[in-house]
Amino acid sequence: IFAALKLTKFATLGSMLVTVGTYTTFYGFPYAAGMVGLILTHESGHALMMKQLKVPYSPMVFVPFLGAAVAMKETPKNAYDEALIAIAGPVMGTAGSFVVWGGGLATGSQLCFALADFGFMINLFNLIPIGMMDGGRIGNALSPYAGLAGVGVAGSLIALGEVHNPIFYLITLAGGYQTGMRLWNNYNGVVDSSLPKNYYLISNNQRVKIAGGYFGLMGVLFTAMSINQYYKKSPERLVFEQKAKSGVLPGLGLNNDHNDY
């Protein structure tokens, strides 16, 4: 799907508008536009880092309910650069989510709080160290065993019924296979010829930087989501408050009036 969309002249704008339109039918235009805006911010982080590292990339494309992607046209020179490209997306996406959250604090907008929650969640979700997700690319630079943790986390989310997206099931299966093959190759001394020589041979200093940024960002996102829960109201609560303001108590059919006789 992504490859087909990249062939079109207006891939980014066209796919973005289609995605906004699709989400609008489910969530309404304001929330749909905010969702796509936050996804755009996340993907822009990847693109900017690719540009800085001089890694050519394809146009950004959006696909409803699958997300968006900016694909690298060439493999980075090493796993450290790939990790930098991977983490740049969640970093910029998190920054964008904080901007929206700040708007909520300044105005009391429940739309902003809901969008900030989406932004924090989607960036944290992308940090799961599995497959070709951002966390998987970061984890590959840290340890060949990082993927095992990712498969465990993803498998737990599926088993507990927290995720029902078939695409995520495929990502988990592909991530498990990729992790298994890398560990098998390491055990047998097989070198992946599709990657540059000594691709995973990075310095301890680089590994510490990546690990610090990765776990630090996860801590920030967990904290932000927890704090935002104090401000974000559930849809049911918002409906209740709206009906209460109109003078009708939900479920009772009574006017919220006090009359003296």
Side-chain angles (χ1 to χ4, degrees), residues 96-116:
S97 300
F98 270 112
V99 170
V100 175
W101 188 63
L105 292 176
T107 64
S109 169
Q110 283 298 310
L111 173 62
C112 287
F113 289 133
L115 284 171

PDB file of all heavy atoms in Angstrom, residues 96-116:
ATOM      1  N   GLY A  96       5.449  17.647  20.078  1.00  0.00           N
ATOM      2  CA  GLY A  96       4.189  18.126  19.531  1.00  0.00           C
ATOM      3  C   GLY A  96       3.025  17.847  20.463  1.00  0.00           C
ATOM      4  O   GLY A  96       2.114  18.683  20.615  1.00  0.00           O
ATOM      5  N   SER A  97       3.042  16.692  21.114  1.00  0.00           N
ATOM      6  CA  SER A  97       1.976  16.340  22.055  1.00  0.00           C
ATOM      7  C   SER A  97       1.981  17.277  23.257  1.00  0.00           C
ATOM      8  O   SER A  97       0.919  17.647  23.775  1.00  0.00           O
ATOM      9  CB  SER A  97       2.155  14.890  22.516  1.00  0.00           C
ATOM     10  OG  SER A  97       2.104  13.999  21.416  1.00  0.00           O
ATOM     11  N   PHE A  98       3.172  17.672  23.704  1.00  0.00           N
ATOM     12  CA  PHE A  98       3.264  18.610  24.825  1.00  0.00           C
ATOM     13  C   PHE A  98       2.731  19.988  24.440  1.00  0.00           C
ATOM     14  O   PHE A  98       2.141  20.688  25.274  1.00  0.00           O
ATOM     15  CB  PHE A  98       4.705  18.710  25.320  1.00  0.00           C
ATOM     16  CG  PHE A  98       5.037  17.719  26.397  1.00  0.00           C
ATOM     17  CD1 PHE A  98       5.922  16.674  26.148  1.00  0.00           C
ATOM     18  CD2 PHE A  98       4.470  17.821  27.654  1.00  0.00           C
ATOM     19  CE1 PHE A  98       6.227  15.748  27.135  1.00  0.00           C
ATOM     20  CE2 PHE A  98       4.764  16.893  28.649  1.00  0.00           C
ATOM     21  CZ  PHE A  98       5.642  15.860  28.395  1.00  0.00           C
ATOM     22  N   VAL A  99       2.946  20.386  23.189  1.00  0.00           N
ATOM     23  CA  VAL A  99       2.395  21.663  22.726  1.00  0.00           C
ATOM     24  C   VAL A  99       0.868  21.632  22.801  1.00  0.00           C
ATOM     25  O   VAL A  99       0.223  22.572  23.285  1.00  0.00           O
ATOM     26  CB  VAL A  99       2.863  21.969  21.287  1.00  0.00           C
ATOM     27  CG1 VAL A  99       2.099  23.169  20.725  1.00  0.00           C
ATOM     28  CG2 VAL A  99       4.363  22.245  21.262  1.00  0.00           C
ATOM     29  N   VAL A 100       0.280  20.521  22.326  1.00  0.00           N
ATOM     30  CA  VAL A 100      -1.172  20.371  22.376  1.00  0.00           C
ATOM     31  C   VAL A 100      -1.652  20.338  23.826  1.00  0.00           C
ATOM     32  O   VAL A 100      -2.664  20.954  24.180  1.00  0.00           O
ATOM     33  CB  VAL A 100      -1.603  19.090  21.631  1.00  0.00           C
ATOM     34  CG1 VAL A 100      -3.103  18.854  21.787  1.00  0.00           C
ATOM     35  CG2 VAL A 100      -1.244  19.186  20.152  1.00  0.00           C
ATOM     36  N   TRP A 101      -0.924  19.624  24.680  1.00  0.00           N
ATOM     37  CA  TRP A 101      -1.276  19.533  26.096  1.00  0.00           C
ATOM     38  C   TRP A 101      -1.219  20.916  26.744  1.00  0.00           C
ATOM     39  O   TRP A 101      -2.081  21.268  27.558  1.00  0.00           O
ATOM     40  CB  TRP A 101      -0.329  18.562  26.802  1.00  0.00           C
ATOM     41  CG  TRP A 101      -0.714  18.238  28.211  1.00  0.00           C
ATOM     42  CD1 TRP A 101      -1.859  17.613  28.631  1.00  0.00           C
ATOM     43  CD2 TRP A 101       0.052  18.498  29.397  1.00  0.00           C
ATOM     44  NE1 TRP A 101      -1.847  17.459  29.995  1.00  0.00           N
ATOM     45  CE2 TRP A 101      -0.690  17.990  30.494  1.00  0.00           C
ATOM     46  CE3 TRP A 101       1.297  19.081  29.628  1.00  0.00           C
ATOM     47  CZ2 TRP A 101      -0.229  18.076  31.805  1.00  0.00           C
ATOM     48  CZ3 TRP A 101       1.757  19.159  30.944  1.00  0.00           C
ATOM     49  CH2 TRP A 101       0.997  18.664  32.017  1.00  0.00           C
ATOM     50  N   GLY A 102      -0.208  21.690  26.382  1.00  0.00           N
ATOM     51  CA  GLY A 102      -0.109  23.051  26.890  1.00  0.00           C
ATOM     52  C   GLY A 102      -1.305  23.887  26.490  1.00  0.00           C
ATOM     53  O   GLY A 102      -1.803  24.712  27.275  1.00  0.00           O
ATOM     54  N   GLY A 103      -1.792  23.664  25.264  1.00  0.00           N
ATOM     55  CA  GLY A 103      -2.999  24.357  24.831  1.00  0.00           C
ATOM     56  C   GLY A 103      -4.191  23.978  25.688  1.00  0.00           C
ATOM     57  O   GLY A 103      -5.044  24.819  25.992  1.00  0.00           O
ATOM     58  N   GLY A 104      -4.244  22.705  26.082  1.00  0.00           N
ATOM     59  CA  GLY A 104      -5.321  22.262  26.961  1.00  0.00           C
ATOM     60  C   GLY A 104      -5.244  22.918  28.329  1.00  0.00           C
ATOM     61  O   GLY A 104      -6.260  23.334  28.903  1.00  0.00           O
ATOM     62  N   LEU A 105      -4.038  23.019  28.869  1.00  0.00           N
ATOM     63  CA  LEU A 105      -3.868  23.656  30.178  1.00  0.00           C
ATOM     64  C   LEU A 105      -4.242  25.137  30.125  1.00  0.00           C
ATOM     65  O   LEU A 105      -4.803  25.691  31.084  1.00  0.00           O
ATOM     66  CB  LEU A 105      -2.418  23.516  30.646  1.00  0.00           C
ATOM     67  CG  LEU A 105      -1.938  22.106  30.991  1.00  0.00           C
ATOM     68  CD1 LEU A 105      -0.458  22.124  31.344  1.00  0.00           C
ATOM     69  CD2 LEU A 105      -2.753  21.515  32.137  1.00  0.00           C
ATOM     70  N   ALA A 106      -3.930  25.782  29.003  1.00  0.00           N
ATOM     71  CA  ALA A 106      -4.187  27.215  28.872  1.00  0.00           C
ATOM     72  C   ALA A 106      -5.662  27.525  28.654  1.00  0.00           C
ATOM     73  O   ALA A 106      -6.154  28.562  29.097  1.00  0.00           O
ATOM     74  CB  ALA A 106      -3.359  27.792  27.723  1.00  0.00           C
ATOM     75  N   THR A 107      -6.358  26.616  27.977  1.00  0.00           N
ATOM     76  CA  THR A 107      -7.749  26.897  27.607  1.00  0.00           C
ATOM     77  C   THR A 107      -8.772  25.988  28.278  1.00  0.00           C
ATOM     78  O   THR A 107      -9.967  26.272  28.232  1.00  0.00           O
ATOM     79  CB  THR A 107      -7.918  26.752  26.086  1.00  0.00           C
ATOM     80  OG1 THR A 107      -7.670  25.376  25.701  1.00  0.00           O
ATOM     81  CG2 THR A 107      -6.942  27.661  25.336  1.00  0.00           C
ATOM     82  N   GLY A 108      -8.315  24.891  28.871  1.00  0.00           N
ATOM     83  CA  GLY A 108      -9.240  23.926  29.451  1.00  0.00           C
ATOM     84  C   GLY A 108      -9.917  23.060  28.407  1.00  0.00           C
ATOM     85  O   GLY A 108     -10.899  22.379  28.697  1.00  0.00           O
ATOM     86  N   SER A 109      -9.390  23.066  27.177  1.00  0.00           N
ATOM     87  CA  SER A 109      -9.999  22.318  26.077  1.00  0.00           C
ATOM     88  C   SER A 109      -9.842  20.814  26.264  1.00  0.00           C
ATOM     89  O   SER A 109      -8.728  20.299  26.327  1.00  0.00           O
ATOM     90  CB  SER A 109      -9.357  22.739  24.749  1.00  0.00           C
ATOM     91  OG  SER A 109      -9.734  21.867  23.705  1.00  0.00           O
ATOM     92  N   GLN A 110     -10.984  20.115  26.335  1.00  0.00           N
ATOM     93  CA  GLN A 110     -10.937  18.662  26.431  1.00  0.00           C
ATOM     94  C   GLN A 110     -10.462  18.035  25.126  1.00  0.00           C
ATOM     95  O   GLN A 110      -9.905  16.939  25.130  1.00  0.00           O
ATOM     96  CB  GLN A 110     -12.315  18.117  26.816  1.00  0.00           C
ATOM     97  CG  GLN A 110     -12.652  18.283  28.275  1.00  0.00           C
ATOM     98  CD  GLN A 110     -11.683  17.529  29.172  1.00  0.00           C
ATOM     99  OE1 GLN A 110     -11.409  16.345  28.964  1.00  0.00           O
ATOM    100  NE2 GLN A 110     -11.142  18.213  30.182  1.00  0.00           N
ATOM    101  N   LEU A 111     -10.664  18.722  24.014  1.00  0.00           N
ATOM    102  CA  LEU A 111     -10.147  18.235  22.732  1.00  0.00           C
ATOM    103  C   LEU A 111      -8.622  18.171  22.795  1.00  0.00           C
ATOM    104  O   LEU A 111      -8.014  17.182  22.359  1.00  0.00           O
ATOM    105  CB  LEU A 111     -10.591  19.147  21.600  1.00  0.00           C
ATOM    106  CG  LEU A 111      -9.994  18.852  20.215  1.00  0.00           C
ATOM    107  CD1 LEU A 111     -10.408  17.462  19.740  1.00  0.00           C
ATOM    108  CD2 LEU A 111     -10.426  19.924  19.208  1.00  0.00           C
ATOM    109  N   CYS A 112      -8.000  19.205  23.338  1.00  0.00           N
ATOM    110  CA  CYS A 112      -6.532  19.225  23.447  1.00  0.00           C
ATOM    111  C   CYS A 112      -6.036  18.120  24.370  1.00  0.00           C
ATOM    112  O   CYS A 112      -5.040  17.455  24.072  1.00  0.00           O
ATOM    113  CB  CYS A 112      -6.059  20.585  23.944  1.00  0.00           C
ATOM    114  SG  CYS A 112      -6.179  21.907  22.718  1.00  0.00           S
ATOM    115  N   PHE A 113      -6.721  17.917  25.483  1.00  0.00           N
ATOM    116  CA  PHE A 113      -6.303  16.866  26.411  1.00  0.00           C
ATOM    117  C   PHE A 113      -6.442  15.488  25.766  1.00  0.00           C
ATOM    118  O   PHE A 113      -5.591  14.610  25.946  1.00  0.00           O
ATOM    119  CB  PHE A 113      -7.121  16.927  27.698  1.00  0.00           C
ATOM    120  CG  PHE A 113      -6.808  18.115  28.573  1.00  0.00           C
ATOM    121  CD1 PHE A 113      -7.819  18.888  29.113  1.00  0.00           C
ATOM    122  CD2 PHE A 113      -5.493  18.453  28.857  1.00  0.00           C
ATOM    123  CE1 PHE A 113      -7.541  19.982  29.915  1.00  0.00           C
ATOM    124  CE2 PHE A 113      -5.191  19.551  29.658  1.00  0.00           C
ATOM    125  CZ  PHE A 113      -6.228  20.318  30.187  1.00  0.00           C
ATOM    126  N   ALA A 114      -7.511  15.284  25.005  1.00  0.00           N
ATOM    127  CA  ALA A 114      -7.716  13.998  24.332  1.00  0.00           C
ATOM    128  C   ALA A 114      -6.659  13.773  23.256  1.00  0.00           C
ATOM    129  O   ALA A 114      -6.121  12.658  23.109  1.00  0.00           O
ATOM    130  CB  ALA A 114      -9.114  13.945  23.723  1.00  0.00           C
ATOM    131  N   LEU A 115      -6.338  14.821  22.501  1.00  0.00           N
ATOM    132  CA  LEU A 115      -5.312  14.696  21.462  1.00  0.00           C
ATOM    133  C   LEU A 115      -3.935  14.479  22.079  1.00  0.00           C
ATOM    134  O   LEU A 115      -3.126  13.708  21.557  1.00  0.00           O
ATOM    135  CB  LEU A 115      -5.305  15.942  20.581  1.00  0.00           C
ATOM    136  CG  LEU A 115      -6.451  16.045  19.569  1.00  0.00           C
ATOM    137  CD1 LEU A 115      -6.466  17.413  18.908  1.00  0.00           C
ATOM    138  CD2 LEU A 115      -6.340  14.944  18.519  1.00  0.00           C
ATOM    139  N   ALA A 116      -3.651  15.166  23.182  1.00  0.00           N
ATOM    140  CA  ALA A 116      -2.372  14.966  23.860  1.00  0.00           C
ATOM    141  C   ALA A 116      -2.250  13.521  24.329  1.00  0.00           C
ATOM    142  O   ALA A 116      -1.187  12.907  24.204  1.00  0.00           O
ATOM    143  CB  ALA A 116      -2.250  15.922  25.034  1.00  0.00           C
TER     144      ALA A 116
END
